[in-house]
Amino acid sequence: MYGSRIDILTSFLDPCDVFADVGCDHAFCTKYMLDSGKCNTAIATDLRDKCLQKAIDLLGDYAGEGRCLFFCTDGLDGVPYADEVLIAGMGGEEMARILSRRIPPRFVLQPMRNVSKVRKMLITHGARILQDTVFKADGYYYVLLKGVSAEDGEGSAEPYTALELEYGKEYKSPAVQEYLAYRLERKERYAAGIAEPREKDTIWKEIQLLKEALGLS
């Protein structure tokens, strides 16, 4: 049932009392947390009724035991306290919007794009990013952030350089460097086919930033 992406995502989750899976869709991560005993109670949320129904169908037995609650809502709006929250497979802008209203005590995030906007929002709100890495599953790269809120962290968030804000404090690690090299190759191929000057200039700025992070400039 659990694909390799799900396996890797759940490996970053810690034991907790109440776990919340925001934008749960199929709710496989929620099921893993309950099946493994890594949480006592789980909360599954989704903005769409049809997606939430998949979670209800999958986790009906746990719901009957009072161990799983379901909320059709926008992010964490109206959701009771949860000490660990997973948000995965969502765009960075949407994720930042959700978290700007409420940052949970502990979080694991897997934004699909615009990751720098998530980092900036977390830092602005005093949250601490403890892990900022990349993993590869089923031929695709995924960025993953793990951290704690300002209330649950020790001290203030560390300042970020421009490169760290764009690619994370671990951008020099082998996993992230591999991902950045992959992105650079794709950007260069894409830039070669662009004729419009303004768009080409934007892409080349991204290429130069990637080269800087890779130590190639």
Side-chain angles (χ1 to χ4, degrees):
M1 177 179 292
Y2 307 124
S4 58
R5 172 176 166 267
I6 300 298
D7 289 337
I8 296 171
L9 271 177
T10 53
S11 72
F12 284 90
L13 296 169
D14 297 319
C16 60
D17 182 24
V18 182
F19 167 76
D21 188 354
V22 174
C24 63
D25 194 14
H26 43 56
F28 289 159
C29 292
T30 313
K31 188 175 191 304
Y32 163 83
M33 290 295 284
L34 289 162
D35 285 350
S36 65
K38 288 182 76 171
C39 72
N40 295 318
T41 306
I43 298 170
T45 86
D46 206 286
L47 188 58
R48 296 163 293 178
D49 287 324
K50 288 186 178 179
C51 289
L52 193 62
Q53 187 59 51
K54 290 187 286 186
I56 293 169
D57 293 341
L58 182 67
L59 302 168
D61 289 344
Y62 285 113
E65 297 170 2
R67 294 187 60 204
C68 192
L69 304 174
F70 306 94
F71 291 85
C72 186
T73 188
D74 182 9
L76 287 162
D77 291 354
V79 175
Y81 174 84
D83 50 326
E84 182 166 45
V85 171
L86 170 70
I87 310 180
M90 190 181 294
E93 287 187 349
E94 180 71 2
M95 192 176 291
R97 182 185 64 81
I98 288 170
L99 291 168
S100 68
R101 300 199 295 264
R102 175 180 167 189
I103 299 179
R106 289 182 285 160
F107 54 82
V108 173
L109 311 173
Q110 186 255 292
M112 298 299 290
R113 55 194 173 275
N114 296 319
V115 184
S116 62
K117 294 185 177 182
V118 181
R119 292 189 186 100
K120 185 174 181 179
M121 189 284 306
L122 292 169
I123 296 162
T124 301
H125 287 75
R128 292 181 66 86
I129 301 171
L130 305 178
Q131 286 183 268
D132 193 334
T133 189
V134 173
F135 68 87
K136 190 174 184 180
D138 304 318
Y140 296 95
Y141 289 95
Y142 299 96
V143 177
L144 184 138
L145 312 177
K146 179 174 179 173
V148 295
S149 68
E151 291 76 14
D152 282 61
E154 295 182 4
S156 59
E158 297 178 11
Y160 275 58
T161 66
L163 281 178
E164 289 171 344
L165 190 61
E166 190 65 33
Y167 305 122
K169 280 192 174 291
E170 299 175 37
Y171 75 88
K172 292 183 179 181
S173 70
V176 180
Q177 287 280 297
E178 178 184 320
Y179 167 62
L180 296 182
Y182 164 79
R183 281 189 58 185
L184 175 62
E185 189 271 334
R186 286 175 61 88
K187 291 284 184 184
E188 288 180 327
R189 277 197 288 121
Y190 180 66
I194 295 175
E196 204 280 316
R198 186 175 299 177
E199 183 181 2
K200 197 176 186 73
D201 182 61
T202 299
I203 294 297
W204 277 108
K205 285 179 180 177
E206 294 177 13
I207 287 172
Q208 291 307 309
L209 197 62
L210 283 164
K211 284 185 174 180
E212 185 179 350
L214 288 163
L216 300 176
S217 63

